[in-house]
Amino acid sequence: MKQNIIKYLQIAFPFLITIALWRLSNPWINPAGVLAIIPIFYCSFIKPVPYFTAFAILFCFLIDYNFDTVIFWTTLYCAYYAIVNIQTIIDLTHTKKYGIYAFMIFFGIASLSMIFWYLSWTSLGLGILMFIVTCAAYIPVAFLTKVVCDD
């Protein structure tokens, strides 16, 4: 019985941490729940979790809804998913350091796009702060997900 509960929690953890990070939105540290991109990225590209893709698309759409962007995160996620999974040159499942460099490229493109989309000093500051906080939170969240989900 105990092993079944542990196995269930291991399977459910990526989904639960995504929901938790999305719900813990804060205007400065986690605007619109953007930290939910971390488990979405990690569980989709670095250590793929079965049945997570549809869930990831849904939460990218929910982040778009909170951010008042028109399918920005959803489009970026789908484009990155197509780039990584359709071709055979880039294999993110064997990257070092939990794929932090691939995540920084993914999130850096998103941050720069949003900074130039809403060009102002406020968007520049928020974009830089969002990039720093999200990249700093990536390693602990990815490590926690790896530790909990590995058998």
Side-chain angles (χ1 to χ4, degrees), residues 79-105:
Y80 208 75
Y81 189 84
I83 290 168
V84 170
N85 289 325
I86 291 176
Q87 53 75 39
T88 58
I89 298 169
I90 302 171
D91 184 18
L92 293 180
T93 59
H94 294 97
T95 58
K96 296 178 183 175
K97 299 180 184 175
Y98 307 106
I100 183 71
Y101 299 122
F103 179 75
M104 288 172 72
I105 290 169

Side-chain angles (χ1 to χ4, degrees), residues 58-74:
L58 171 69
F59 268 85
C60 285
F61 180 76
L62 290 174
I63 291 170
D64 282 329
Y65 179 75
N66 281 349
F67 240 126
D68 287 334
T69 54
V70 181
I71 65 167
F72 173 76
W73 291 102
T74 309

Side-chain angles (χ1 to χ4, degrees), residues 8-134:
Y8 173 74
L9 290 175
Q10 286 177 334
I11 293 169
F13 184 77
F15 299 94
L16 296 175
I17 195 164
T18 304
I19 293 169
L21 287 173
W22 179 72
R23 289 290 296 157
L24 293 173
S25 63
N26 180 319
W28 290 100
I29 303 298
N30 188 12
V34 78
L35 287 180
I37 290 290
I38 296 170
I40 288 171
F41 183 86
Y42 184 77
C43 295
S44 295
F45 304 119
I46 307 302
K47 185 164 175 25
V49 172
Y51 307 109
F52 195 79
T53 304
F55 184 79
I57 291 171
L58 171 69
F59 268 85
C60 285
F61 180 76
L62 290 174
I63 291 170
D64 282 329
Y65 179 75
N66 281 349
F67 240 126
D68 287 334
T69 54
V70 181
I71 65 167
F72 173 76
W73 291 102
T74 309
T75 304
L76 188 67
Y77 173 80
C78 291
Y80 208 75
Y81 189 84
I83 290 168
V84 170
N85 289 325
I86 291 176
Q87 53 75 39
T88 58
I89 298 169
I90 302 171
D91 184 18
L92 293 180
T93 59
H94 294 97
T95 58
K96 296 178 183 175
K97 299 180 184 175
Y98 307 106
I100 183 71
Y101 299 122
F103 179 75
M104 288 172 72
I105 290 169
F106 171 77
F107 202 78
I109 291 170
S111 295
L112 282 175
S113 299
M114 291 189 80
I115 287 170
F116 289 125
W117 193 353
Y118 302 108
L119 196 56
S120 70
W121 289 109
T122 306
S123 69
L124 177 69
L126 184 61
I128 292 171
L129 179 68
M130 192 171 62
F131 180 78
I132 291 170
V133 168
T134 306

